[in-house]
């Protein structure tokens, strides 16, 4: 004023409940103090907010009337309030119509979203922003069920959809919802709590106003629901007001967990608390020990933001725009049609949307009209107030320290180790399990079959003395074990599916229908998962192996095959082995016939000796000695190969003649169908439909009711009125084979099935929990113990799918390595021997003047003769026959062939006329022989 500035007053409405109450006084004082602080820090401001305050006294209609009066008569530029979500629902529509921003710092229902009105600004946290924090707590302690207790109005119902979804995401169910009327009497509260006591769930999430919540906890303590074993979790609507709650109410809330908005402890906040408390004490000297809650801080920030927005939108540069009456021409007695539209509204809306500053409750900014403050504090009510035990952020989950809330590199955590120590209701430090077995809990009606299938699976016996029904069996033990592994209690009774006389009331399909009709809540039986059944009921995961197999008699086939001795080896191995025997005989003859008398003689004798030697190694009966080192090397390798071959052949033949004596009479279902054989199935089983689909005549399909009857039918066979095969599921026939393994064998699986499972009603929430419990059971040793208990006798009769099917003959692939070694060894020895021979007689090949064929003939002649220079002939006699080298009759000079050192038996001389001439000369071995002497 001293500087001749023009200050423009701006009308702003305030709609707050119960201004005479402590909460109303605290919130209004914060609003006024925010304006004082803003204008004190912004001395050059040209606007001043003029507050027009209305008190609707918690009435929705009065709140709407107050807002209408402020808009039409006062022509306010904005409205701060109203207090509750129910009041805000209609006021928001008025603001949207008049283009007047509505700023609420306490209406938190998710239904009040800016999508419905662009002129609604929520200067508080949306209730849906806390549901992930609550579900993280539930997940951290492994609770699988939680019951929301909420006030039955828009504030209470608004958070339910997002809360249920968040719990579902962490595999937690909401079995029941407890709605409390806003004006509930003590009797109504007591009745609702007693109803909760009759249920097994002990985890409760409370979402209601402070006054109603205080009464609820007082009644809960009175009837004994604040003792050990109970879990209470408050939403931030209650937890944010704990600091202003009476000590008597705090006493009834001991052990309760709560989620509240995390407010940074800044120096500005500490200074404000001191200034506000001093000022409030001066204005209200009779009120002492008052604490600020987060709603009071949001009220301060909302007023501060509005003052800043009005200053920044250009309002201070001129006269405030008036309201334009768009319906002035309409004659109406209804005020709702005659109020005007704020011309300054769009500019103020834009200015509020762009307003950002560091408020007392944290960073203040609107995103789509919503205040952004994602960090929540988790507290535990103990003593005189709430004790901080951890934090939660959308990025990191549960945190023990608020300093880590800004670390975006952390992985999301739901571990209870990230929270401090908790004192639960009843002063207990043990984590409640979240459920108890109530005295009047409704029990599940679990149906069991009577005399359908093997008694090892389900057996129902009525005790005549007590008239009680006793149920036992493999399926029953599995069901009991699975129920015990659920994270909550499930009580149940087994009810036989029987007629009054105790006999079976129907087939498995009819038993499954009882669940669909609501007569049973579950089935504990050997029920197969089938597509047609899944249309009406839900199945858990299977707890047994799957597949449909058939059992057929076995027959002795040993005496029916006269050529069984050929079966151990395949034909390619037989042929290859024979070729090798001939090849090895040839190699040994080449290496030995020039130096070993055993391999000499007529041509037929030499061929026979070579083959005899080779084949006799098969039984190690060869008596001819080998004298050359190369031959010995070949024999050593070949004997090793023959040893492996003969031993393998012997083992395979022994197996064929002893172990594989029995063969199944049929190996395929099509064989039975082609031969028009009869087949059996357990009475009431779905296998009957499968056999019909395969093309079996209805007259060829026979039902049996017990393993003994099945054995009798198989023994008779189709020709005598019995069956050729029994078709059933794998677990059933495994049990049958355990008793009759010497007579029958299993073939298959011939059909694919999904195994045995428990049956529950369509859409049952128990299905995922029971399935997880089955997985947990099958991964441990308990499943094996149950199997050994009921099927332990199978250990004496080993089970295999088909122990007699397709015995494999030994093929070339099994021995090609050995044969390769033998081939390399013998070929190497052969090449070395030939190379040595050619080298020793190279002068014959190099002789000129003679045709190549003559030289080759001479070499072949020498090769076929004894090598008398060998050590085997050298010392036998003091003299021995030497066959002279041939000389040419037409050449006076000695023939070059006569220069050979060869001294073997008669060698033909090929003269020009082609007449061989040989001369034998006896000589003393000490006197060298020359061609002239010959």
């Amino acid at each position: 004023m001293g500087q001749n500035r023009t200050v423009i007053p701006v009308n702003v409405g305030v709609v707050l409940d119960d201004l005479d109450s402590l909460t109303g006084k605290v919130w209004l004082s914060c609003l006024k103090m925010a304006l004082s602080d803003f204008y004190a820090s912004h001395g050059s401001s040209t606007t001043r907010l003029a507050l027009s305050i209305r008190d609707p006294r918690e009435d929705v209609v009065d709140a709407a009337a107050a807002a209408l009066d402020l808009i039409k008569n006062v022509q306010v530029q904005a409205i701060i309030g109203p207090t509750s979500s129910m009041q805000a629902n209609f006021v928001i529509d008025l603001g949207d119509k008049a283009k007047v921003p509505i700023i609420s710092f306490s209406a938190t229902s998710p239904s009040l979203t800016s999508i419905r009105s662009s002129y609604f600004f929520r200067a508080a946290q949306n209730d849906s922003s806390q549901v992930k924090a609550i579900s993280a707590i539930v997940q951290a302690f492994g609770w699988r069920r939680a019951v929301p207790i909420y006030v039955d109005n828009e504030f209470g119902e608004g958070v339910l959809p997002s809360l249920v979804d968040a719990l579902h995401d962490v595999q937690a169910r909401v079995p029941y919802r407890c709605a409390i009327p806003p004006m509930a009497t003590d009797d109504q509260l007591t009745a609702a709590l007693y109803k909760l006591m009759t249920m097994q769930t002990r985890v409760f999430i409370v979402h209601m106003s402070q006054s109603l919540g205080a009464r609820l906890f007082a009644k809960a303590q009175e009837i004994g629901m604040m003792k050990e074993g109970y879990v209470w979790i408050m939403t931030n609507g209650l937890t944010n007001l704990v600091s202003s709650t009476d000590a008597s109410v705090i006493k009834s809330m001991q052990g309760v967990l709560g989620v509240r908005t995390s407010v940074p402890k800044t120096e500005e906040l500490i200074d404000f608390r001191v200034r506000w408390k001093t000022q409030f004490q001066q204005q209200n000297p009779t009120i002492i020990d008052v604490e600020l809650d987060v709603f009071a801080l949001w009220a301060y920030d909302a007023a501060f933001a509005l003052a800043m927005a009005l200053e920044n939108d250009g309002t201070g540069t001129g006269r405030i725009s008036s309201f334009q009456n768009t319906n002035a021409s309409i004659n109406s007695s209804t005020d709702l049609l005659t109020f005007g539209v704020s011309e300054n509204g769009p500019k103020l809306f834009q200015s509020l949307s762009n307003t950002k500053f560091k408020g007392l409750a944290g960073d203040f900014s609107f995103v789509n009209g919503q205040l952004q403050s994602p960090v929540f504090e988790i507290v535990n009510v103990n003593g005189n107030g709430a004790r901080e035990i951890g934090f939660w952020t959308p990025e990191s989950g549960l945190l023990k320290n608020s300093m880590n809330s800004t670390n975006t590199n952390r992985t999301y955590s739901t571990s209870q180790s990230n929270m401090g120590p908790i004192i639960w209701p009843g002063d207990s430090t043990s984590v409640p399990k979240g459920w108890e077995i109530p005295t009047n809990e409704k029990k599940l009606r679990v149906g069991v079959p009577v005399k359908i299938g093997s008694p090892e699976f389900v057996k129902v016996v009525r005790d005549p003395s007590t008239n009680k029904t006793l149920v036992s069996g493999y399926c029953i033990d599995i069901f009991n074990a699975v129920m015990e592994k659920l994270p909550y209690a499930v009580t149940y009774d087994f009810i036989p599916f029987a007629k009054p006389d105790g006999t079976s009331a129907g087939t498995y399909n009819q038993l499954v229908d009882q669940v669909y009709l609501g007569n049973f809540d579950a089935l504990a039986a050997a029920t197969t998962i089938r597509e047609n059944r899944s249309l009406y009921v839900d199945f858990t995961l299977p707890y047994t192996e799957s597949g449909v197999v058939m059992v057929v008699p076995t027959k002795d086939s040993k005496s029916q095959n006269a050529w069984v001795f050929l079966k151990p080896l395949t034909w390619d191995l037989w042929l290859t082995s024979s070729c090798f025997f001939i090849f090895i005989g040839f190699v040994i003859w080449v290496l030995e016939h020039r130096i070993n008398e055993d391999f000499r003689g007529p041509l037929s004798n030499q061929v026979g000796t070579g083959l005899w030697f080779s084949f006799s190694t098969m039984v190690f009966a060869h008596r001819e000695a080998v004298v050359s080192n190369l031959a010995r090397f070949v024999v050593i390798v070949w004997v090793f190969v023959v040893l492996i071959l003969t031993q393998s052949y012997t083992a395979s033949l022994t197996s064929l003649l002893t172990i594989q004596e029995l063969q199944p009479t049929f190996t395929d279902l099509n064989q039975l169908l082609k031969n028009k054989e009869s087949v059996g199935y357990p009475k009431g089983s779905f296998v009957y439909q499968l056999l019909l689909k395969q093309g079996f005549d209805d007259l060829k399909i026979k039902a049996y009711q017990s393993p003994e009857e099945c054995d009798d039918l198989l023994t008779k066979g189709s020709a005598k009125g019995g069956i050729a095969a029994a078709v059933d599921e794998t677990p059933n026939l495994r049990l049958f084979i355990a008793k009759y393994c010497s007579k029958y064998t299993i073939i298959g699986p011939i059909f694919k099935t999904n195994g045995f499972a428990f049956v529950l009603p369509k859409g049952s929430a128990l299905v995922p929990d029971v399935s997880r419990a089955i997985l947990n059971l099958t991964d441990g040793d308990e499943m094996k113990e149950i199997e050994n208990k009921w099927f332990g006798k199978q250990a004496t009769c080993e089970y295999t799918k088909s122990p007699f099917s397709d015995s494999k003959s030994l093929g070339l692939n099994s021995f090609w390595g050995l044969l390769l070694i033998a081939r390399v060894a013998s070929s190497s020895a052969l090449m070395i021997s030939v190379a040595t021979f050619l080298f020793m007689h190279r002068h014959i090949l190099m002789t000129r003047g003679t045709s190549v064929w003559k030289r080759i003939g001479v070499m072949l002649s020498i090769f076929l003769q004894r090598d008398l220079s060998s050590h085997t002939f050298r010392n036998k006699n003091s003299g021995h026959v030497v066959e002279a080298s041939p000389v040419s009759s037409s050449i006076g000079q000695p023939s070059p062939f006569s220069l050979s050192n060869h001294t073997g038996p008669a060698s033909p001389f090929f003269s020009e006329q082609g007449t061989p001439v040989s001369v034998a000369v006896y000589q003393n071995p000490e006197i060298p022989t020359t061609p002239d002497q010959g």
Side-chain angles (χ1 to χ4, degrees):
M1 292 295 187
Q3 299 175 355
N4 296 323
R5 288 185 294 104
T6 300
V7 178
I8 300 175
V10 181
N11 292 326
V12 172
V14 177
V15 181
L16 287 180
D17 289 329
D18 294 333
L19 293 177
D20 294 333
S21 67
L22 176 61
T23 300
K25 290 179 180 180
V26 170
W27 291 356
L28 183 59
S29 66
C30 287
L31 287 173
K32 294 179 177 180
M33 197 166 180
L35 299 180
S36 299
D37 289 349
F38 177 80
Y39 295 122
S41 60
H42 296 75
S44 60
S45 174
T46 58
T47 58
R48 288 294 185 274
L49 269 64
L51 301 180
S52 298
I53 304 172
R54 301 289 188 272
D55 183 0
R57 298 189 178 278
E58 300 185 3
D59 188 270
V60 176
V61 176
D62 288 347
L68 185 61
D69 173 62
L70 290 171
I71 293 173
K72 181 178 180 181
N73 300 323
V74 185
Q75 293 190 342
V76 295
Q77 298 298 308
I79 295 177
I80 299 177
T83 304
S84 69
S85 298
M86 291 72 66
Q87 295 170 342
N89 195 22
F90 187 66
V91 173
I92 290 172
D93 291 334
L94 293 177
D96 188 50
K97 189 174 183 64
K99 298 190 185 306
V100 173
I102 308 297
I103 308 170
S104 177
F105 58 85
S106 57
T108 57
S109 175
S111 61
L112 305 175
T113 171
S114 60
I115 297 176
R116 292 177 52 188
S117 171
S118 58
Y119 284 86
F120 173 60
F121 292 87
R122 194 202 307 268
Q125 279 184 323
N126 190 327
D127 280 340
S128 62
S129 62
Q130 66 182 318
V131 297
K132 292 291 186 181
I134 295 174
S135 67
I137 297 174
V138 172
Q139 185 180 14
F141 293 101
W143 299 317
R144 303 304 299 275
R145 293 185 178 185
V147 173
I149 306 175
Y150 61 97
V151 59
D152 192 11
N153 57 23
E154 188 163 352
F155 166 70
E157 293 175 348
V159 75
L160 276 185
S162 54
L163 177 60
V164 172
D165 289 343
L167 291 173
H168 183 269
D169 291 341
V170 297
Q171 311 302 320
R173 295 176 51 225
V174 178
Y176 178 71
R177 305 179 187 187
C178 181
I180 306 295
M183 305 302 294
T185 62
D186 288 348
D187 290 340
Q188 288 176 310
L189 288 175
T190 302
L193 291 173
Y194 271 125
K195 186 174 183 179
L196 293 175
M197 288 183 69
T198 64
M199 302 177 183
Q200 66 176 238
T201 305
R202 291 294 180 262
V203 180
F204 306 115
I205 301 173
V206 183
H207 180 67
M208 55 186 59
S209 63
Q210 181 186 27
S211 58
L212 186 59
R215 295 173 54 213
L216 177 76
F217 282 110
K219 284 296 177 184
Q221 183 184 38
E222 182 181 324
I223 67 176
M225 293 183 70
M226 298 301 295
K227 63 182 180 180
E228 184 177 358
Y230 284 86
V231 178
W232 296 85
I233 303 174
M234 298 185 298
T235 62
N236 64 351
L238 281 171
T239 314
N240 286 338
L241 299 174
V242 168
S243 59
S244 59
T245 303
D246 293 338
S248 59
V249 178
I250 294 293
K251 185 177 180 181
S252 67
M253 298 168 64
Q254 297 297 301
V256 175
L257 297 181
V259 174
R260 71 182 178 191
T261 305
S262 178
V263 178
K265 296 177 177 60
T266 61
E267 294 183 3
E268 292 80 1
L269 177 59
I270 297 173
D271 175 69
F272 173 75
R273 287 183 185 274
V274 174
R275 292 190 296 108
W276 173 83
K277 199 162 189 176
T278 301
Q279 180 177 313
F280 188 82
Q281 198 73 47
Q282 293 173 354
Q283 296 174 355
N284 304 277
T286 59
I287 303 175
I288 58 176
D289 294 333
V290 182
E291 294 294 336
L292 287 172
D293 54 47
V294 71
F295 292 106
L297 301 181
W298 282 333
Y300 179 96
D301 290 344
F304 198 94
L306 180 58
M308 182 180 293
L310 283 167
E311 187 66 28
N312 295 334
D313 73 347
T315 301
T317 60
R319 183 175 172 273
I320 291 293
S321 300
S322 61
F323 277 59
Q324 180 181 357
N325 192 348
T326 58
N327 298 317
S329 60
I330 300 177
N331 295 323
S332 175
S333 59
T334 305
D335 285 341
L336 293 178
L337 297 177
T338 58
F339 65 82
V341 175
S342 173
E343 296 181 355
N344 195 54
K347 291 193 298 181
L348 181 57
F349 163 77
Q350 193 63 38
S351 182
L352 277 170
S353 299
N354 296 330
T355 299
K356 295 181 181 180
F357 64 95
K358 191 172 184 63
L360 293 179
D363 294 335
F364 190 97
S365 64
F366 290 115
V367 177
N368 296 325
Q370 304 290 312
L371 182 65
Q372 303 300 302
S373 93
V375 181
F376 286 93
E377 188 177 328
I378 302 172
V379 299
N380 182 207
V381 179
N382 295 125
N384 298 323
R387 175 175 55 86
E388 171 193 302
I389 60 172
F391 295 85
W392 179 89
T393 67
E395 298 81 15
S396 303
L398 296 176
L399 300 170
K400 185 174 277 188
N401 196 316
S402 62
M403 299 296 293
N404 296 328
S405 62
T406 58
N407 186 357
T408 59
N409 294 327
R410 291 175 57 93
T411 57
Y412 190 87
S413 171
T414 56
S415 172
Q416 56 179 288
S417 62
N418 286 339
M419 291 188 286
I422 301 174
I423 299 178
W424 302 95
D427 290 332
S428 172
T429 56
S430 300
V431 178
K433 59 183 179 181
W435 57 268
E436 289 181 4
I437 302 177
T439 56
N440 59 345
E441 172 75 2
K442 178 185 175 183
K443 294 184 177 181
L444 290 181
R445 298 163 298 170
V446 182
V448 293
V450 175
K451 295 181 181 179
I452 301 179
S454 302
E456 285 84 358
F457 289 99
V458 178
K459 185 178 182 180
V460 178
V461 177
R462 184 177 294 275
D463 188 348
S465 59
T466 61
N467 202 29
K468 290 184 178 180
T469 301
L470 303 178
V471 182
S472 61
Y474 172 75
C475 297
I476 302 303
D477 284 358
I478 294 293
F479 187 84
N480 291 333
V482 167
M483 292 297 110
E484 290 178 1
K485 290 186 177 296
L486 292 178
Y488 45 83
V490 176
T491 57
Y492 52 90
D493 288 325
F494 292 115
I495 303 176
F497 182 50
K499 297 177 182 178
D501 60 357
T503 60
S504 175
T507 64
Y508 267 105
N509 284 336
Q510 293 171 324
L511 180 58
V512 172
D513 289 341
Q514 300 305 306
V515 177
Y516 172 71
L517 296 173
N519 297 327
F520 291 141
D521 298 316
L523 288 186
T527 312
T528 305
I529 302 174
R530 300 293 296 164
E531 186 273 337
N532 60 327
R533 295 173 179 173
S534 65
L535 298 176
Y536 309 100
V537 296
D538 279 346
F539 290 94
T540 64
L541 288 178
Y543 57 88
T544 64
E545 60 182 309
S546 60
V548 173
V549 297
M550 69 177 183
V551 164
V552 296
T554 57
K555 62 181 179 180
D556 187 359
S557 62
K558 180 175 63 175
S559 61
Q560 299 176 3
N561 191 349
W563 301 97
V564 68
F565 68 91
L566 294 176
K567 194 173 181 180
L569 306 182
T570 59
W571 285 110
D572 57 347
L573 185 56
W574 277 116
L575 183 60
T576 305
S577 300
S578 300
C579 293
F580 261 86
F581 275 107
I582 297 173
F583 177 68
I584 294 298
F586 171 73
V587 171
I588 296 299
W589 175 81
V590 169
L591 298 176
E592 290 288 312
H593 81 283
R594 300 187 70 235
I595 61 175
N596 192 336
E597 286 290 349
D598 290 337
F599 291 88
R600 300 297 303 171
L603 178 61
S604 59
N605 182 70
Q606 295 186 38
V607 173
T609 302
L611 293 176
W612 158 258
F613 180 87
S614 176
F615 281 94
S616 63
T617 57
M618 187 165 52
V619 291
F620 308 103
H622 51 285
R623 54 185 177 81
E624 292 79 9
V626 290
V627 296
S628 70
N629 290 331
L630 289 176
R632 291 168 179 169
F633 169 70
V634 172
V635 170
I636 289 173
V637 174
W638 178 242
V639 167
F640 174 74
V641 173
V642 169
L643 175 65
I644 300 299
L645 276 173
T646 53
Q647 293 297 322
S648 300
Y649 174 85
T650 303
S652 181
L653 182 60
T654 303
S655 175
L656 289 172
L657 295 177
T658 56
I659 298 176
Q660 196 172 0
E661 293 181 351
L662 301 177
Q663 290 289 336
T665 53
F666 297 95
T667 59
D668 185 70
L669 200 63
N670 292 327
Q671 287 181 274
L672 297 168
L673 188 61
K674 183 178 179 181
N675 296 340
K676 297 183 179 181
E677 301 284 352
S678 297
V679 294
Y681 75 99
K683 186 176 181 180
S685 172
F686 69 95
V687 173
Y688 176 73
Q689 284 78 18
L690 291 179
L691 293 174
L692 287 178
K693 289 181 180 179
Q694 285 295 113
F696 280 91
D697 191 303
D698 186 58
L699 298 177
K700 295 293 184 180
I701 304 176
K702 299 182 179 181
Y704 57 85
Q705 295 186 349
S706 67
E708 292 75 18
E709 184 180 358
C710 178
D711 173 54
D712 182 59
L713 291 172
L714 285 170
T715 302
K716 291 180 179 179
S718 294
K720 297 181 180 180
I723 58 177
V727 182
D728 197 1
E729 293 180 271
T730 302
N732 291 329
L733 290 184
R734 281 186 61 184
L735 192 60
F736 177 80
I737 284 293
K739 299 174 65 175
Y740 304 103
C741 61
S742 61
K743 301 170 62 178
Y744 309 107
T745 183
I746 287 181
I747 304 297
I750 56 177
F751 297 110
K752 178 66 177 177
T753 61
N754 294 315
F756 294 162
F758 299 124
V759 180
L760 292 164
K762 197 73 173 176
S764 173
L766 282 173
V767 173
D769 291 341
V770 174
S771 295
R772 276 186 288 269
I774 290 174
L775 289 177
N776 189 13
L777 182 67
T778 54
D779 289 341
D781 296 331
E782 190 174 357
M783 189 73 166
K784 296 179 181 178
E785 293 175 1
I786 296 175
E787 289 180 351
N788 292 334
K789 174 183 176 182
W790 293 101
F791 310 128
K793 56 187 177 182
Q794 292 188 55
T796 62
C797 188
E798 182 180 359
Y799 165 75
T800 56
K801 285 187 178 179
S802 182
F804 315 112
S805 60
D806 297 334
S807 177
K808 299 293 184 181
S809 299
L810 299 175
L812 185 60
N813 290 338
S814 303
F815 298 97
W816 71 267
L818 278 174
L819 296 175
L820 179 63
I821 294 173
R823 179 181 176 181
V824 171
S826 56
S827 299
S828 300
L830 183 62
M831 288 188 292
I832 293 173
S833 176
V834 172
T836 302
F837 176 79
L838 293 176
F839 178 77
M840 292 177 61
H841 302 85
R842 62 187 181 280
H843 58 282
I844 299 176
L845 295 175
M846 297 172 62
T847 302
R848 297 181 180 179
T850 306
S851 66
V852 174
W853 288 107
K854 286 184 178 182
R855 283 178 279 177
I856 293 176
V858 172
M859 291 292 290
L860 181 59
S861 176
I862 296 173
F863 180 74
L864 294 175
Q865 297 173 6
R866 290 183 178 87
D867 184 5
L868 296 179
S869 65
S870 170
H871 66 282
T872 59
F873 297 120
R874 190 177 301 161
N875 297 319
K876 282 188 177 181
N877 302 298
S878 57
H880 54 270
V881 177
V882 180
E883 297 177 358
S885 298
V887 292
S888 176
S889 61
S890 60
I891 303 175
Q893 299 287 333
S895 170
F897 292 99
S898 64
L899 301 177
S900 171
N901 292 327
H902 172 68
T903 57
S907 298
F909 170 72
F910 297 92
S911 64
E912 292 182 1
Q913 291 78 15
T915 305
V917 178
S918 61
V919 179
V921 178
Y922 286 86
Q923 69 170 19
N924 192 307
E926 296 180 1
I927 303 174
T929 303
T930 65
D932 293 340
Q933 294 172 321

